[in-house]
C-alpha cells in the first residue's frame, strides 16, 4: 500500500462555533451528504440528537449538550474524511482547544443574525496560534440576519483574518433567494426544505448577464452591485493564502435547510490540507516518515456503562499504524500492543487493522494514557503543542463517606487524566483542590465519581483567581513564597509547584517579592516549555 496515496486522500478537520450557531446541524448535514447517515430531512429530530452524532455519554443525554469530543469518519468524493467533533458548551473549551491540536484545518460556523460571538473569537485565537487553515460558513440565511458585507467586515476585524467570499447571498431572511457562486457564476436557488438534498442551480455568464435581471429584477441589480464591491475590495482567491492561515474563504448557507452544504463540502475536499508535518522534541516529523508515530489528544471514559473502560483517541501523525504490533509508549518507556484499535462513526466502533496519518484511532486503555502521550516505533520523542491552561474556577474536594477515600482518589486521578479538570494537591494529598474552566465540569465530576467509582463527594467553592506554575532554579528563589504563602502552594499531577492566587494583586506582589521565580498561566508538560508568562 502506497502511504503517500493514503496521506493525499485524507482530510482531518473540526467544526467550531459559538454554541447555537449550527455546528451540530452542519455536522449532521455533512454526514447526510456523504451518505454516512441515511436519515433525510429533519436530521435534528430528537432521535438523531440523542443517538447519532457524538452525544453518547449518559450525562450528555441528560443535559442535551454535546460534552465529549468524538470522531466521525466518512468518505466523500474518494477522500477519507475525519471530522473531530468538539464540545459545544463553553465550559468544555479546553477540550476543544486540545482537539484543535489534532486537526489540519477547521470550518468555522457563524450565525448571520448574531455575527461574531465571544466563543468564536476565543476559538479563532487558538487557530491563529497554529496557523490552522479556516473556512467560514455563515449560517441561517433563512433568518433575518445582518447585512453580509457588514458581517464580512466584522469577521475581518474581530477574528483578525482576511476573508474571501466564494459565494454571495441574494436577499436574506424572507427575501433570501439563494447564493451566487462568484467564481463559477452559478446561482443556487434557495427553497426552505429540510428534506431535499439536491440544489436547483442555474449557470450565468457573469453578473452582467441580462438573464440575471430577467430572472430576479431589482434583486439582480443589488447582487451585481454587491459582487462588484466585493471584487474591488478582496483579492483573487489564492489557495496558498488559505493554507497558510492568512485568508479564510467564506460560504453562505442554511444548514437546517440543506442549503449551501454541498458547495462547502466540494470546496473543502478540493482545498483543505492533507495531514501536515508536526513538531516534536526531536524536530519536525513528516507524515510520510516510514516509522509510525502519534499522540493522544483525548481520553473518553465509559463508553459502555457496564464496563469502566477508557478509550484514548490517538492522532496518527506519521507512518502506518498496525494492529497487534508492539509500539513504544514514550512517557512510560514501555512497549505496548493494541489488539482492538477502533475507528468511529458516532456510536459504532469498528476494529481496524491499520491506520494512516490523519486518522484518529481509539485505543482501549486500562489507565496507561494521559493526554499528550506520544506513541512511536521505538524513538524517544514527544509531540509538542498540547498546553495546560490555568483553570478559572476552583473548589475543594470533600468526600462524604470516609470509607470511600480510595475510590475517590482513584476516580479523581483518572478523571483528571482525561483532561476533565485539574487537581492541585497539598499536605501530601490530604487536601485536594479541583480547577476547571466552567461550573458544569463539577456536575460531571460529581456524577461520574458517584456512578463510576461509588464515591459520593461535595465541592466547596474557593475564591482563587488563577493557578500560576512556578519555575525556579533553586529553593532560595521562592523563599518568601514558601514562608509567607505556603497555604497557597500546591503541586499539580506532574509534581510541579503551583501558586493558587486569590487575585491579580496577589500575583503581582508575589512576583515582586520573588523576582527570580517565573509565574506562568500555562505550561506544556511534554516539553517542559512554558507559555504565557504572567504579565
Ligand atoms: P450548535 O451545535 O452550534 O450549538 O447549534 P445547533 O446545530 O444545535 O443549532 C442551534 C439551533 O439553530 C437549532 O435550533 C437548529 O435547528 C437551528 N439551526 C441550525 N441551522 C439553521 C439554519 O440554517 N436556519 C435556522 N433558522 N435555524 C438553524 P433549536 O431550536 O435549538 O433546536 P431544534 O429544536 O431545531 O433541534
Amino acid at each position: 500500500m502506497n502511504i503517500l496515496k493514503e496521506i493525499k486522500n485524507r482530510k482531518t478537520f473540526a467544526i467550531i462555533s459559538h454554541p447555537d450557531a449550527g455546528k451540530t446541524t452542519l455536522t449532521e448535514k455533512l454526514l447526510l451528504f456523504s451518505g454516512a447517515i441515511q436519515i433525510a430531512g429533519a436530521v435534528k429530530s430528537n432521535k438523531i440528537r440523542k443517538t447519532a452524532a457524538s452525544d453518547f455519554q449518559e450525562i450528555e443525554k441528560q443535559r442535551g449538550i454535546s460534552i465529549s469530543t468524538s470522531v466521525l469518519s466518512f468518505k466523500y468524493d474518494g477522500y477519507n474524511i475525519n471530522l473531530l467533533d468538539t464540545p459545544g458548551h463553553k465550559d468544555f473549551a479546553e477540550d476543544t482547544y486540545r482537539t484543535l491540536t489534532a486537526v489540519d484545518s477547521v470550518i468555522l460556523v457563524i450565525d448571520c443574525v448574531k455575527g461574531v460571538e465571544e466563543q468564536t473569537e476565543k476559538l479563532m485565537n487558538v487557530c491563529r496560534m497554529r496557523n490552522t487553515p479556516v473556512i467560514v460558513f455563515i449560517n441561517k440565511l433563512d433568518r433575518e440576519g445582518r447585512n453580509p458585507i457588514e458581517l464580512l467586515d466584522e469577521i475581518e476585524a474581530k477574528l483578525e483574518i482576511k476573508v474571501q467570499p466564494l459565494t454571495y447571498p441574494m436577499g436574506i431572511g424572507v427575501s433570501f433567494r439563494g447564493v451566487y457562486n462568484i467564481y463559477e457564476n452559478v446561482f443556487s436557488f434557495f427553497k426552505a426544505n429540510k428534506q431535499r438534498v439536491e440544489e436547483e442551480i442555474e449557470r450565468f455568464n457573469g453578473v452582467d448577464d441580462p438573464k440575471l435581471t430577467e430572472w430576479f429584477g431589482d434583486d439582480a441589480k443589488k447582487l451585481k452591485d454587491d459582487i462588484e464591491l466585493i471584487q474591488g475590495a478582496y483579492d483573487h482567491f489564492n489557495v496558498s493564502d488559505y493554507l497558510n492561515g492568512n485568508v479564510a474563504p467564506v460560504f453562505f448557507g442554511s444548514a437546517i435547510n440543506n442549503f449551501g452544504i454541498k458547495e462547502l463540502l466540494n470546496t473543502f475536499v478540493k482545498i483543505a490540507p492533507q495531514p501536515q508535518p508536526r513538531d516534536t522534541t526531536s524536530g519536525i516529523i513528516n507524515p510520510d516518515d516510514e516509522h509510525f508515530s502519534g499522540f493522544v489528544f483525548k481520553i473518553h471514559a465509559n463508553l459502555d456503562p457496564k464496563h469502566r473502560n477508557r478509550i484514548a483517541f490517538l492522532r496518527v501523525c506519521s507512518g502506518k499504524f498496525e494492529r497487534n504490533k508492539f509500539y513504544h509508549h514514550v512517557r512510560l518507556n514501555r512497549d505496548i500492543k493494541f489488539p482492538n484499535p477502533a475507528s468511529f462513526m458516532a456510536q459504532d466502533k469498528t476494529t481496524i487493522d491499520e491506520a494512516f496519518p490523519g486518522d484518529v484511532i481509539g485505543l482501549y486503555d486500562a489507565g496507561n494514557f494521559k493526554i499528550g502521550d506520544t506513541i512511536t516505533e521505538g524513538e524517544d520523542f514527544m509531540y509538542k503543542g498540547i498546553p495546560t491552561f490555568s483553570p478559572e474556577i476552583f473548589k475543594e474536594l470533600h468526600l462524604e463517606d470516609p470509607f470511600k477515600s480510595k475510590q475517590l482518589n482513584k476516580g479523581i486521578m483518572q478523571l483528571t487524566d482525561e483532561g476533565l479538570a485539574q487537581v492541585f494537591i497539598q499536605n501530601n494529598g490530604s487536601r485536594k483542590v479541583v480547577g476547571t474552566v466552567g461550573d458544569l465540569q463539577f456536575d460531571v465530576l460529581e456524577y461520574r465519581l458517584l456512578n463510576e467509582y461509588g464515591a459520593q463527594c461535595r465541592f466547596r467553592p474557593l475564591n482563587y483567581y488563577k493557578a500560576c506554575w512556578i519555575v525556579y532554579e533553586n529553593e532560595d528563589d521562592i523563599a518568601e513564597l514558601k514562608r509567607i504563602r505556603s497555604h497557597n502552594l500546591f503541586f499539580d499531577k506532574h509534581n510541579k509547584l503551583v501558586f493558587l492566587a486569590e487575585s491579580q494583586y496577589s500575583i503581582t506582589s508575589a512576583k515582586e517579592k520573588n523576582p527570580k521565580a517565573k509565574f506562568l498561566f500555562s505550561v506544556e508538560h511534554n516539553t517542559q516549555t512554558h507559555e504565557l508568562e504572567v504579565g
Side-chain angles (χ1 to χ4, degrees):
M1 180 77 66
N2 182 348
I3 185 168
L4 285 175
K5 194 173 149 227
E6 293 294 335
I7 294 169
K8 274 209 167 111
N9 255 346
R10 275 164 171 77
K11 311 269 180 190
T12 301
F13 79 112
I15 302 179
I16 54 176
S17 75
H18 189 89
D20 267 354
K23 181 175 73 67
T24 314
T25 311
L26 180 62
T27 303
E28 289 170 357
K29 299 299 177 159
L30 292 179
L31 298 181
L32 190 64
F33 271 90
S34 70
I37 57 173
Q38 261 76 44
I39 303 167
V43 277
K44 278 204 60 190
S45 67
N46 279 341
K47 189 162 166 274
I48 195 151
R49 189 138 208 202
K50 288 203 178 102
T51 57
S54 53
D55 302 342
F56 48 75
Q57 274 197 347
E58 182 61 27
I59 190 133
E60 290 181 282
K61 287 185 197 155
Q62 285 183 1
R63 292 175 181 277
I65 42 177
S66 177
I67 288 175
S68 300
T69 303
S70 59
V71 189
L72 304 162
S73 299
F74 58 94
K75 279 196 195 304
Y76 183 77
D77 201 16
Y79 288 95
N80 290 316
I81 300 175
N82 299 309
L83 166 52
L84 311 199
D85 192 17
T86 54
H89 200 283
K90 71 171 174 25
D91 285 6
F92 291 83
E94 205 168 338
D95 209 351
T96 300
Y97 300 158
R98 283 192 294 256
T99 298
L100 293 181
T101 65
V103 301
D104 297 299
S105 70
V106 305
I107 292 179
L108 173 64
V109 185
I110 289 177
D111 180 333
C112 73
V113 182
K114 297 188 176 146
V116 173
E117 297 173 84
E118 188 195 344
Q119 196 60 17
T120 330
E121 285 186 58
K122 287 192 178 158
L123 291 164
M124 188 60 210
N125 285 342
V126 178
C127 293
R128 213 175 312 102
M129 266 161 64
R130 300 170 194 283
N131 298 324
T132 309
V134 176
I135 295 179
V136 175
F137 182 72
I138 300 185
N139 191 27
K140 307 196 187 181
L141 266 278
D142 58 315
R143 296 188 53 198
E144 298 301 324
R146 312 232 313 259
N147 178 309
I149 302 255
E150 204 183 290
L151 280 170
L152 293 171
D153 284 348
E154 182 174 287
I155 295 170
E156 285 208 334
K158 288 197 176 164
L159 300 184
E160 295 173 42
I161 185 160
K162 280 192 183 164
V163 294
Q164 183 74 57
L166 298 190
T167 64
Y168 195 79
M170 185 187 280
I172 200 158
V174 282
S175 61
F176 179 46
R177 305 186 70 166
V179 295
Y180 193 83
N181 186 318
I182 298 174
Y183 288 91
E184 287 168 17
N185 289 311
V186 168
F187 189 87
S188 308
F189 292 86
F190 173 70
K191 278 207 188 90
N193 194 337
K194 295 173 185 169
Q195 311 286 333
R196 206 173 47 116
V197 168
E198 288 306 313
E199 283 169 16
E200 213 179 295
I201 58 166
E202 178 70 23
R203 190 164 292 279
F204 291 89
N205 201 8
V207 280
D208 291 324
D209 191 335
K211 198 167 72 173
L212 208 61
T213 318
E214 221 174 88
W215 285 44
F216 299 113
D218 286 350
D219 287 345
K221 184 170 181 326
K222 169 98 176 58
L223 179 77
K224 181 172 175 288
D225 289 349
D226 281 354
I227 288 182
E228 278 171 3
L229 194 75
I230 285 173
Q231 284 170 334
Y234 301 102
D235 296 335
H236 199 79
F237 178 54
N238 187 335
V239 177
S240 62
D241 291 338
Y242 154 72
L243 292 173
N244 295 332
N246 294 326
V247 168
V250 179
F251 289 87
F252 291 85
S254 169
I256 195 94
N257 289 300
N258 294 313
F259 187 78
I261 315 283
K262 203 168 187 179
E263 221 150 23
L264 173 73
L265 196 53
N266 286 341
T267 306
F268 170 81
V269 291
K270 246 190 252 158
I271 66 171
Q274 62 185 50
Q276 294 295 296
R278 267 152 209 277
D279 202 6
T280 74
T281 49
S282 303
I284 301 285
I285 299 286
N286 284 307
D288 58 355
D289 192 294
E290 61 176 308
H291 297 122
F292 158 75
S293 67
F295 68 92
V296 172
F297 65 94
K298 161 88 187 164
I299 295 174
H300 199 146
N302 216 22
L303 292 182
D304 175 356
K306 288 191 212 95
H307 304 102
R308 196 197 294 153
N309 52 14
R310 308 204 298 181
I311 289 192
F313 289 86
L314 178 128
R315 148 101 195 198
V316 179
C317 298
S318 70
K320 177 170 146 186
F321 171 90
E322 287 171 78
R323 184 157 82 98
N324 266 330
K325 192 168 163 180
F326 273 98
Y327 289 117
H328 187 57
H329 187 310
V330 178
R331 180 176 56 85
L332 298 182
N333 191 19
R334 244 175 67 193
D335 290 344
I336 303 180
K337 70 173 175 175
F338 304 98
N340 298 305
S343 73
F344 297 89
M345 179 58 217
Q347 265 182 313
D348 296 333
K349 298 190 289 278
T350 320
T351 302
I352 48 136
D353 289 318
E354 54 185 29
F356 294 92
D359 285 345
V360 170
I361 49 177
L363 304 174
Y364 286 95
D365 173 37
N368 287 322
F369 286 116
K370 283 186 185 177
I371 284 175
D373 277 344
T374 297
I375 303 290
T376 67
E377 266 189 42
E379 296 104 318
D380 251 336
F381 64 75
M382 298 285 272
Y383 276 95
K384 284 186 183 176
I386 305 194
T388 302
F389 297 96
S390 167
E392 306 280 327
I393 303 172
F394 299 85
K395 294 188 183 183
E396 186 159 350
L397 178 63
H398 285 282
L399 182 61
E400 295 284 26
D401 175 356
F403 292 109
K404 296 280 171 142
S405 83
K406 227 171 120 187
Q407 285 86 334
L408 182 77
N409 275 335
K410 185 172 176 197
I412 197 70
M413 288 304 159
Q414 290 199 342
L415 296 183
T416 47
D417 277 352
E418 286 175 29
L420 194 56
Q422 294 179 55
V423 63
F424 303 102
I425 297 163
Q426 212 179 35
N427 300 339
N428 288 328
S430 63
R431 185 162 185 235
K432 290 190 184 70
V433 169
V434 174
T436 66
V437 178
D439 247 329
L440 190 52
Q441 276 129 321
F442 289 104
D443 294 356
V444 177
L445 282 172
E446 205 175 311
Y447 174 92
R448 290 190 53 189
L449 284 168
L450 182 62
N451 281 276
E452 294 168 33
Y453 299 89
Q456 177 88 55
C457 70
R458 190 163 48 84
F459 287 102
R460 187 172 68 86
L462 299 167
N463 68 345
Y464 293 124
Y465 152 76
K466 281 266 153 76
C468 298
W469 282 266
I470 313 281
V471 182
Y472 58 98
E473 302 255 311
N474 59 57
E475 295 292 318
D476 286 348
D477 296 348
I478 53 164
E480 196 268 356
L481 260 185
K482 285 176 108 175
R483 196 161 44 85
I484 312 285
R485 300 160 207 262
S486 61
H487 54 284
N488 292 78
L489 293 181
F490 289 74
F491 287 96
D492 73 2
K493 280 175 75 173
H494 301 258
N495 227 5
K496 295 266 156 50
L497 190 65
V498 179
F499 174 56
L500 298 191
E502 280 94 0
S503 62
Q504 180 59 45
Y505 172 77
S506 69
I507 301 174
T508 312
S509 123
K511 275 186 75 177
E512 272 168 24
K513 293 186 175 127
N514 301 274
K516 287 192 174 157
K518 275 189 175 170
F519 290 66
L520 312 161
F521 279 152
S522 141
V523 283
E524 205 186 297
H525 291 295
N526 278 357
T527 54
Q528 308 293 318
T529 54
H530 310 289
E531 302 181 9
L532 290 180
E533 190 168 349
V534 177

